[in-house]
Amino acid sequence: MYEGFDIWAFLVGLPLGLVIWAIVWFFVRKKGMKERIFDERYANLHRHARSISWKVMTGAIIIAWIIVMIVEGAKLAFFILTALWLIHMLSWAIGAAIVNKHH
């Protein structure tokens, strides 16, 4: 099933990729702070983009859920999508509660 997949290359490459990403993120963030790139406009744009992304993801999960029910029925994929839906909605509820508590 996993012919040609080198698990050791994956186990070394994944952490190495994460370390490289963290280093690049650190320097980009540091330079951005010096140039005041991350101002209120930046925060508002990204907040709006996350809102749109959250709505699109909600629709995508519902569509995938329907497709899985039609094609496979109540098998593993259905329960995985159900768990994703619950996590998605609970994270929204918890986030809304935290934001309302602070405002």
Side-chain angles (χ1 to χ4, degrees), residues 62-75 78 81:
I62 290 172
I63 292 168
W65 204 2
I66 292 167
I67 292 170
V68 165
M69 280 303 294
I70 292 170
V71 174
E72 293 191 15
K75 293 185 180 174
F78 169 77
L81 278 170

Side-chain angles (χ1 to χ4, degrees), residues 1-96:
M1 182 173 176
Y2 296 104
E3 293 176 22
F5 181 76
D6 187 4
I7 189 72
W8 293 109
F10 174 75
L11 291 176
V12 170
L14 182 64
L16 181 62
L18 290 173
V19 168
I20 291 170
W21 170 81
I23 291 168
V24 169
W25 177 84
F26 173 77
F27 285 112
V28 168
R29 187 81 179 166
K30 187 176 178 181
K31 185 175 188 260
M33 291 297 230
K34 283 182 183 177
E35 295 176 6
R36 300 186 189 275
I37 293 173
F38 306 116
D39 59 356
E40 184 178 336
R41 182 174 175 265
Y42 172 88
N44 284 335
L45 285 171
H46 283 271
R47 186 177 307 121
H48 188 70
R50 281 190 302 269
S51 174
I52 292 169
S53 174
W54 192 89
K55 292 171 186 173
V56 168
M57 189 63 195
T58 301
I61 290 173
I62 290 172
I63 292 168
W65 204 2
I66 292 167
I67 292 170
V68 165
M69 280 303 294
I70 292 170
V71 174
E72 293 191 15
K75 293 185 180 174
L76 179 62
F78 169 77
F79 293 108
I80 290 173
L81 278 170
T82 302
L84 275 175
W85 176 257
L86 288 173
I87 292 167
H88 185 67
M89 297 308 283
L90 284 174
S91 69
W92 171 76
I94 291 168

